[in-house]
Amino acid sequence: MEYILIFISAIFVNNIVLSQFLGICPFLGVSKKVETALGMSMAVAFVMTIATIVTFLLQKFVLDAFGLEYLQTITFILVIASLVQMVEIVLKKVSPSLYQALGVFLPLITTNCAILGVAILVIQKDYNLLMGVVYAISTAIGFGLALILFAGLREQMSLVKIPEGMKGTPIALVVAGLLAMAFMGFSGVV
């Protein structure tokens, strides 16, 4: 039952983007097309899940074992950067069009605070490895859901007449706020 609560909570109630405000850069930057948002969501999901597993094991078996907890952030950043490089190489070979579409935002996964935030939150919440993996996967799903919904809304906004002063970033921020308020409706669920 606890795993189901973690799953639902991370996707809807404590959505990493709309509730905790982590990962805003790709949320605003890659959300102009649903196709690009889907690709970014999958890349972030992969990196977030693998990074959580690797950082958990490093924390428990290296940093905690040798009293090096103060190196947590730098260690986690190095792990995430390495994983992003791996994803970048694979995407370049497997899907050059998606690689081109993601452009500069793919290397930005390295500095995506959502991935680092999840890795640190798993340790702070004292989850075991399985709980951490469930939390990472569900957080990635929540990130992807928010990103894809927002991209769909932005595509629809491109079809309507928007006042000149609200075009671009202003209307995007208003829509993001409304989406965050919609997700607040889930707060009574868990």
Side-chain angles (χ1 to χ4, degrees):
M1 185 67 173
E2 192 172 352
Y3 294 99
I4 294 170
L5 289 174
I6 291 171
F7 188 78
I8 292 171
S9 174
I11 293 174
F12 298 110
V13 180
N14 296 320
N15 187 286
I16 197 83
V17 176
L18 301 173
S19 177
Q20 298 179 27
F21 307 112
L22 296 173
I24 297 293
C25 179
F27 179 72
L28 293 173
V30 186
S31 60
K32 292 182 181 165
K33 292 183 181 177
V34 173
E35 182 182 328
T36 309
L38 185 61
M40 177 60 97
S41 299
M42 288 189 287
V44 166
F46 176 77
V47 172
M48 190 177 287
T49 305
I50 301 301
T52 299
I53 293 168
V54 173
T55 55
F56 179 88
L57 295 173
L58 279 172
Q59 179 74 36
K60 296 299 177 189
F61 297 113
V62 177
L63 299 178
D64 289 348
F66 296 107
L68 301 171
E69 295 87 0
Y70 60 91
L71 293 174
Q72 180 188 56
T73 304
I74 191 74
T75 304
F76 287 11
I77 289 172
L78 290 172
V79 167
I80 293 166
S82 301
L83 289 170
V84 169
Q85 287 299 313
M86 186 177 73
V87 167
E88 193 170 354
I89 291 167
V90 169
L91 269 182
K92 198 172 189 178
K93 295 281 185 194
V94 174
S95 179
S97 60
L98 180 59
Y99 176 78
Q100 288 293 332
L102 291 175
V104 71
F105 293 103
L106 190 58
L108 285 178
I109 294 176
T110 304
T111 58
N112 187 342
C113 55
I115 295 173
L116 180 61
V118 167
I120 291 173
L121 285 171
V122 164
I123 302 301
Q124 286 179 347
K125 292 182 180 203
D126 202 28
Y127 286 159
N128 60 37
L129 183 58
L130 184 57
M131 290 171 117
V133 170
V134 168
Y135 180 71
I137 291 170
S138 54
T139 300
I141 292 169
F143 176 83
L145 178 66
L147 190 62
I148 292 166
L149 283 173
F150 190 56
L153 290 169
R154 286 185 79 174
E155 279 186 0
Q156 288 298 316
M157 285 188 308
S158 68
L159 302 174
V160 298
K161 187 171 171 79
I162 296 173
E164 194 62 39
M166 290 297 289
K167 285 185 180 176
T169 304
I171 193 69
L173 292 174
V174 169
V175 170
L178 292 172
L179 191 58
M181 286 179 16
F183 270 67
M184 278 179 47
F186 292 112
S187 62
V189 173
V190 178

